[in-house]
Amino acid sequence: MTEPRLEIEYCTQCRWLMRAAWTAQELLTTFPQELGEVALIPSSGGVFDVRLDGETLWSRKAEGGFAEIPLLKQMVRDRIAPDRKLGHSDRKDQ
């Protein structure tokens, strides 16, 4: 089984490289053993999409804004390490 590939596609015109890199850093720090790869994909047109193995977890255009990091961590965790606790980033209802 190959390890999961996370992609962050970001708009270079909007200068969102730093946001994409920070998001990647947060996810790699939280899932250092579980993620096989994190790719930053330069794009245009206001895109900021986060995909895991081709499945879109968050799209800035579809959702109307950027995802909060704790929410992204929960979404990634639910797919690659569902039994893992995230500490302070975990859902309040659990």
Side-chain angles (χ1 to χ4, degrees), residues 1-6 27-28 30-38 51-53 55 57 72-84 86:
M1 180 177 146
T2 59
E3 293 178 334
R5 173 187 166 94
L6 186 90
L27 293 169
L28 281 168
T30 302
F31 303 104
Q33 304 301 317
E34 294 89 351
L35 287 172
E37 180 179 0
V38 174
R51 293 184 293 272
L52 183 65
D53 288 337
E55 175 191 358
L57 299 182
L72 272 181
K73 288 180 179 183
Q74 291 166 8
M75 295 171 89
V76 170
R77 184 271 317 268
D78 290 350
R79 285 160 180 81
I80 66 173
D83 295 329
R84 174 121 181 249
L86 293 176

Side-chain angles (χ1 to χ4, degrees), residues 10-63:
Y10 66 95
C11 179
T12 57
Q13 296 166 315
C14 300
R15 302 192 183 280
W16 287 338
L17 171 59
M18 293 302 290
R19 180 182 286 269
W22 173 70
T23 301
Q25 175 185 327
E26 286 291 318
L27 293 169
L28 281 168
T29 300
T30 302
F31 303 104
Q33 304 301 317
E34 294 89 351
L35 287 172
E37 180 179 0
V38 174
L40 300 180
I41 302 171
S43 192
S44 61
V47 68
F48 196 94
D49 291 350
V50 180
R51 293 184 293 272
L52 183 65
D53 288 337
E55 175 191 358
T56 299
L57 299 182
W58 190 270
S59 171
R60 188 195 67 82
K61 285 185 175 182
E63 302 294 337

